[in-house]
Amino acid sequence: RVRIDSIIYDLSEKIKSARRQRAEQGLYISAYAPYGYRKDPADKNRLLIDEEAAEVVRKIFQGIADGKSTFDLAAELNSEEIPTAMQYKKNTGCTRTHWNAVHEDNFWTTKAITRILRDERYLGRTVYGKRRNLEIASTRSEAVNRSDWIVSENRHEAIVSKELFDLAQEKLGNERQSIHSVSTGTKTLKRKIYCGSCGLAMDRSDSKSHNYLCRNRNLNTGYDCPTEGIPEQDILDAVLTAIRAYARLAVDLEEL
């Protein structure tokens, strides 16, 4: 058993080393191209601009630069029925089998907009090593310090300019600061309460009762998300009742 584990570990380290060397050469080594790009048919380690999707990327960057919020942009794209990155890739024949989405007909969210705005690959860079797995063959990972990333410049054609990208980061920083300036309270239930309609995580309000609300109800999603909030204390009471019930079942089973 120990010998097998050692072989698996050595093999894993060799694969990591080989991938790192390729990344240091500036090769694009991810399995799928980012939204706005496609892989070069003649060279799978090189990206080409997918003009149709790239126009949406430019629209997002220009919108944030013009003063729109990520919420405004998501609502606008949904109202215009512009396919999300997942939908677009599926429609263009992407063979990916797993998608990190709640519904097949997913919609634009502030998180999806922010992910695009933060992606340095739109500057023509390749970026490798932003996260690392905690264990071999595990899906659990952790963020890596930026100083340890492998970044190569001018590896493919940029979709946005450096000036527009930097302006977008500044706007994003201001928006994030504004959001966090009114964010208070416990993290006990953070990302554990989900909307029963759209399926995405609900946010905790700063009202006296600390309600949980679905912020996606105004994003033109097509889902009938509730307009009323759920008091945090009601959720905690329900959780406590369930814990007590399961604890009693466990005790009864042990006694039996």
Side-chain angles (χ1 to χ4, degrees), residues 33-256:
Y35 179 66
Y37 287 102
R38 59 185 176 86
K39 287 196 172 185
D40 186 343
D43 182 0
K44 66 178 183 179
N45 297 125
R46 182 170 177 267
L47 296 176
L48 300 176
I49 288 182
D50 181 339
E51 197 55 46
E52 183 177 350
E55 275 303 306
V56 179
V57 174
R58 296 188 189 103
K59 177 184 178 74
I60 290 172
F61 273 93
Q62 192 59 55
I64 200 79
D66 291 341
K68 294 179 181 179
S69 68
T70 54
F71 190 94
D72 294 335
L73 288 167
E76 183 177 318
L77 294 177
N78 285 328
S79 66
E80 294 176 3
E81 298 184 349
I82 294 177
T84 63
M86 184 190 89
Q87 292 167 340
Y88 181 80
K89 289 181 179 181
K90 281 188 172 182
N91 293 341
T92 52
C94 180
T95 57
R96 187 173 185 172
T97 56
H98 173 73
W99 298 89
N100 185 24
V102 178
H103 300 292
E104 288 294 318
D105 53 340
N106 72 329
F107 51 86
W108 289 99
T109 63
T110 57
K111 185 177 181 180
I113 298 295
T114 300
R115 189 181 300 116
I116 286 176
L117 291 169
R118 293 292 194 198
D119 197 333
E120 297 180 30
R121 292 175 295 184
Y122 295 122
L123 289 170
R125 300 170 178 169
T126 55
V127 183
Y128 176 79
K130 295 175 69 173
R131 300 192 68 84
R132 62 185 168 209
N133 289 343
L134 295 177
E135 299 174 356
I136 296 175
S138 171
T139 57
R140 295 176 60 238
S141 63
E142 63 180 1
V144 175
N145 290 333
R146 181 181 173 82
S147 59
D148 295 324
W149 297 359
I150 299 175
V151 181
S152 299
E153 302 283 350
N154 304 317
R155 300 306 306 177
H156 48 263
E157 186 178 353
I159 290 179
V160 297
S161 67
K162 182 71 164 56
E163 293 73 21
L164 181 57
F165 186 90
D166 289 343
L167 180 56
Q169 306 317 300
E170 180 183 341
K171 298 282 187 178
L172 267 182
N174 294 338
E175 179 179 310
R176 184 175 177 83
Q177 185 176 9
S178 174
I179 292 173
H180 283 280
S181 66
V182 297
S183 179
T184 59
T186 179
K187 294 184 179 180
T188 305
L189 300 176
K190 184 177 180 181
R191 298 201 63 79
K192 293 183 175 67
I193 309 300
Y194 294 87
C195 174
S197 296
C198 71
L200 298 184
M202 301 175 76
D203 291 335
R204 184 178 187 265
S205 73
D206 290 316
S207 61
K208 187 175 181 179
S209 60
H210 294 306
N211 293 332
Y212 274 82
L213 303 163
C214 181
R215 303 294 187 187
N216 298 316
R217 64 181 184 274
N218 296 320
L219 282 181
N220 304 318
T221 64
Y223 290 98
D224 188 23
C225 298
T227 57
E228 66 279 2
I230 305 174
E232 180 179 61
Q233 192 56 52
D234 288 356
I235 300 173
L236 291 173
D237 289 344
V239 171
L240 184 58
T241 299
I243 290 174
R244 285 172 173 164
Y246 280 113
R248 172 49 56 192
L249 287 172
V251 170
D252 290 345
L253 183 61
E254 183 67 23
E255 290 176 352
L256 180 63

